[in-house]
Amino acid sequence: MSGGTHERSGPEHRATAAPTDASGGTPEDLPVPRGLVVLDIVLKTVLLWLVVRTAIDPSWGNLEGKAPMFRAITYPMLAAVLPVVWIVRAWRGLPERPFPWLADVLVTATCFNDFLGNRLDLYDAVTWFDDAVHFVVNAALAAAVVLLWCTPATRLRDVLARAVAVTTTVSLAWEIWEYRAFIERIGERFSAHADTLGDLGLGWAGAVVGALLVVTTWRRQEQLAGLGPAQPEHRAG
């Protein structure tokens, strides 16, 4: 094979290449947007402050009787998942992959709705706030899943399957815990079942929309770059 192929790997050629890294990170030949890194760090710092503040005084976040310590443990763990995975990858000497800053921002951002919604009393003051939260949070998680485990070449059905499978599983686990927590509160015993079913339905819809937004953005980027659609992934057998 001649060396002529390597001569096309200059800046102009790289600028028109479609992003194909499955990790969701920026391609290695392009700089990571500084604003994205700063945003990720700021979000994690603010989340840590909210967690500590609420753990010290649950009444500050209007979380009395709503398992504040469970929340204080769960949300930092969720926000730390991707950094820990990448640290373990490096420690085990696995092939280096760009850190998925955008996916990490999306995952971290989903941790804020509960704290801010309860702190501002939005769950009680705004009737549709809880429904909106379930839709938007699942859309963000689905987008992160697609950025992590798919590429522009992944078939749409596979993108949707991965996004819905992961986000629906996470949502189901959360709803089971939430149902158990609220069923003990007599005032919400009779509405908890209907609320749980509605939340799961909205979460599924949000996951589909979030996945489609990423796919649409990828295709739009390919069009702007003057490239044809990425060839679908083919599985052996």
Side-chain angles (χ1 to χ4, degrees), residues 156-223:
L156 179 59
R157 65 187 181 188
D158 293 330
V159 171
L160 293 175
R162 296 170 192 177
V164 171
V166 174
T167 54
T168 301
T169 301
V170 172
S171 295
L172 181 60
W174 176 265
E175 290 298 329
I176 290 174
W177 169 82
E178 191 175 57
Y179 182 81
R180 292 287 300 175
F182 286 168
I183 202 67
E184 298 176 358
R185 300 168 59 180
I186 297 176
E188 301 188 31
R189 177 171 298 176
F190 299 105
S191 62
H193 179 64
D195 180 71
T196 297
L197 293 178
D199 292 345
L200 288 174
L202 286 167
W204 179 90
V208 172
V209 170
L212 291 177
L213 283 175
V214 176
V215 172
T216 301
T217 301
W218 277 342
R219 291 179 177 175
R220 179 61 175 167
Q221 289 176 340
E222 290 171 350
Q223 293 175 354

Side-chain angles (χ1 to χ4, degrees), residues 18-69:
T20 58
D21 185 77
S23 69
T26 306
E28 293 181 3
D29 57 348
L30 295 176
V32 176
R34 181 176 300 179
L36 194 61
V37 178
V38 172
L39 176 60
D40 198 16
I41 295 173
V42 170
L43 286 176
K44 283 178 165 42
T45 302
V46 174
L47 178 63
L48 180 61
W49 178 80
L50 287 172
V51 165
V52 173
R53 186 71 174 83
T54 302
I56 295 174
D57 182 14
S59 63
W60 177 83
N62 294 322
L63 287 172
E64 309 97 317
K66 298 181 180 179
M69 292 308 298

Side-chain angles (χ1 to χ4, degrees), residues 106-203:
L106 291 170
V107 172
T108 303
T110 63
C111 301
F112 281 86
N113 69 89
D114 196 20
F115 284 114
L116 296 179
N118 281 289
R119 176 71 180 90
L120 301 176
D121 201 27
L122 295 177
Y123 285 99
D124 294 325
V126 182
T127 56
W128 51 264
F129 182 76
D130 183 61
D131 293 338
V133 162
H134 282 279
F135 183 89
V136 173
V137 165
N138 279 273
L141 285 177
V145 169
V146 175
L147 291 171
L148 288 166
W149 285 301
C150 302
T151 73
T154 306
R155 294 180 184 274
L156 179 59
R157 65 187 181 188
D158 293 330
V159 171
L160 293 175
R162 296 170 192 177
V164 171
V166 174
T167 54
T168 301
T169 301
V170 172
S171 295
L172 181 60
W174 176 265
E175 290 298 329
I176 290 174
W177 169 82
E178 191 175 57
Y179 182 81
R180 292 287 300 175
F182 286 168
I183 202 67
E184 298 176 358
R185 300 168 59 180
I186 297 176
E188 301 188 31
R189 177 171 298 176
F190 299 105
S191 62
H193 179 64
D195 180 71
T196 297
L197 293 178
D199 292 345
L200 288 174
L202 286 167

Side-chain angles (χ1 to χ4, degrees), residues 85-98:
V85 169
W86 254 251
I87 290 173
V88 171
R89 285 178 57 85
W91 176 69
R92 296 184 59 185
L94 296 176
E96 184 178 353
R97 296 168 64 181

